[in-house]
Amino acid sequence: MMVRRVGRLALLLCLLVSACGDLPEPFLGNPGAKARRLAQPLAPLLAVPPGSDTLLPDAANQDLAAQIATALQATEVPAMVRAPEPTDWRLITRARRDGNAVMPTFIVQNPQGKDEGEADGEPVPLDVWATASPALMQQIAAEAAPRIGAVLTSIRIAHDKADPHSLYNRPARVLVADVTGAPGDGDLSLTQQMRARLAALGPVVLTTPTGMDFKVQGQVRVVPIGKGKERVEIQWIVSTPSGDERGRVIQLNVIPAGTLDHYWGDVAVVVATEASNGVNDVLIRQSGRDPNAVRQAAGKQPETTAKQPETTAKPPETTATQP
C-alpha cells in the first residue's frame, strides 16, 4: 500500500520472523485502483437510441449508437442500443453545425425524459462529418465515452447527496466473510482482525448478508518458492451483493517456509490493519467521495503513494461510471 506503512510492516515481520533477510516490499498493493474507475449505476440500464438530429444518415446513426454503447460498456456502464423503456435512463445524441465544423452533443436523460446533464464531443470538420465513415463513428464514440462517464458520475453524486439513505450520507454495511486458504489459525485470525479494524474505520461490519451493501472476502494462498521460503499472497475482494467486483487489495510477502503454519498472532493484526485501510478507501470511493477529502475532514493527513503496482481486476470498474 502506502510506502511509509510498508516500512513499518516490514520491520514488524522481520521481528516476528527470524532470518527475515532481504524481503521485497511486503503486503504492497494499490488499494482501490479498480474502484477509482468503477461506480455504481443509477439504474440497471442506459438506453442508447440512434440519434435523429445529428446531420447523419440513418445507417450512420445506428453505427454511432452501437459504437457509443460499446465504448461505455468497456468502462462498465450498462449501456445498450435500444428505444428507451419506462425505467431506462437514456443517452440522446445530437449534433449542430458550428461554422465549418459539426459539434456532437450527448445528453443524459432520466426515465421521465428530463435532461440531467450533457457532454460535448470534439468538433469535427464539416466535410469529414459528411463522410459518416465507420472509422469516424468509432473515433467520436471513443472520445465521448469518458466525458459521458464523467457526467454520469456527477449525476449519481448529486442524487446521492440529496438522498439521506444513500451511501454518501451513511456508513456502508459490509459483510466481512470468513477468510479462506490460510494455514494455521490464519483464516480465523485474519477474519476477526479485519472485522475489528474495518469497523474502527467507520463501516458497519456484518457477519451475515442481510442488509449488506458490500461483501469483503479475504483469500490466502501460500506458494513454495524454494530455498526454504514461501510467498504469502493475500487478496481482499470487495463486491456488491450481486457479486460485481468493486475493488481489490493485494498483499504479498516472502517468508521462511512454515512460519505461519500454526499461529499468525501479531502478523494478522498488521495484515488486517494495512488491508482495512485499503478496503475502506474502496468503500469511500463507491459512495462517491474521495478518501483523501474524507481523511482531511477527519483531521488526518492525505495519503501519498510513491509506488502503485497494478492490481488484478476485471476490465469496470470498474473503472468509473453509472447512469
Side-chain angles (χ1 to χ4, degrees):
M1 283 182 206
M2 307 309 174
V3 168
R4 64 171 181 265
R5 290 180 181 163
V6 165
R8 297 198 303 271
L9 181 53
L11 176 59
L12 181 51
L13 285 175
C14 287
L15 291 175
L16 292 173
V17 180
S18 62
C20 180
D22 293 329
L23 299 182
E25 291 179 319
F27 300 112
L28 179 65
N30 187 11
K34 182 177 180 180
R36 277 193 284 273
R37 59 188 183 90
L38 286 179
Q40 296 167 323
L42 285 170
L45 184 70
L46 176 68
V48 185
S52 58
D53 186 14
T54 62
L55 308 176
L56 291 172
D58 289 344
N61 281 323
Q62 290 281 351
D63 187 19
L64 180 56
Q67 294 288 355
I68 291 172
T70 298
L72 290 173
Q73 289 166 12
T75 60
E76 293 200 350
V77 173
M80 180 181 293
V81 179
R82 76 178 190 188
E85 296 186 358
T87 59
D88 289 345
W89 284 67
R90 65 282 310 261
L91 181 71
I92 306 301
T93 302
R94 295 176 183 154
R96 68 182 186 277
R97 182 170 176 175
D98 186 6
N100 292 322
V102 173
M103 178 69 74
T105 301
F106 307 94
I107 302 162
V108 179
Q109 295 180 342
N110 64 24
Q112 291 73 45
K114 178 183 177 182
D115 292 358
E116 295 266 357
E118 68 178 57
D120 286 333
E122 289 293 321
V124 179
L126 184 60
D127 57 339
V128 175
W129 188 268
T131 67
S133 68
L136 177 62
M137 300 302 101
Q138 185 176 25
Q139 175 185 336
I140 292 169
E143 292 171 345
R147 302 182 186 190
I148 295 168
V151 171
L152 295 171
T153 298
S154 297
I155 292 171
R156 183 177 69 85
I157 291 174
H159 279 246
D160 286 350
K161 285 182 177 179
D163 179 3
H165 303 295
S166 73
L167 287 173
Y168 192 93
N169 294 309
R170 66 169 175 83
R173 295 173 58 83
V174 185
L175 167 64
V176 177
D178 292 342
V179 174
T180 62
D185 71 345
D187 287 350
L188 178 61
S189 295
L190 290 171
T191 300
Q192 291 176 338
Q193 290 298 328
M194 174 56 79
R195 287 172 177 169
R197 302 291 164 172
L198 188 59
L201 296 174
V204 177
V205 172
L206 309 175
T207 56
T208 65
T210 303
M212 72 175 179
D213 300 305
F214 299 99
K215 175 182 176 180
V216 175
Q217 176 66 66
Q219 298 176 354
V220 182
R221 181 169 176 254
V222 178
V223 182
I225 58 175
K227 297 183 179 179
K229 292 186 178 181
E230 57 193 15
R231 183 174 66 251
V232 181
E233 304 171 356
I234 306 175
Q235 299 193 57
W236 302 91
I237 303 165
V238 182
S239 59
T240 64
S242 64
D244 182 20
E245 186 176 319
R246 291 287 149 176
R248 184 174 294 216
V249 177
I250 299 176
Q251 299 171 295
L252 303 173
N253 193 23
V254 173
I255 61 174
T259 299
L260 299 176
D261 282 355
H262 301 290
Y263 303 107
W264 282 60
D266 288 343
V267 173
V269 176
V270 175
V271 169
T273 299
E274 291 294 307
S276 62
N277 283 282
V279 168
N280 193 47
D281 281 1
V282 174
L283 300 174
I284 290 171
R285 289 190 179 97
Q286 288 302 298
S287 74
R289 295 171 294 163
D290 177 73
N292 281 336
V294 172
R295 278 187 281 270
Q296 286 179 316
K300 300 177 181 178
Q301 290 298 315
E303 298 287 359
T304 56
T305 304
K307 180 181 180 182
Q308 293 191 348
E310 292 296 326
T311 58
T312 302
K314 69 178 182 181
E317 21 112 108
T318 71
T319 289
T321 57
Q322 78 287 323

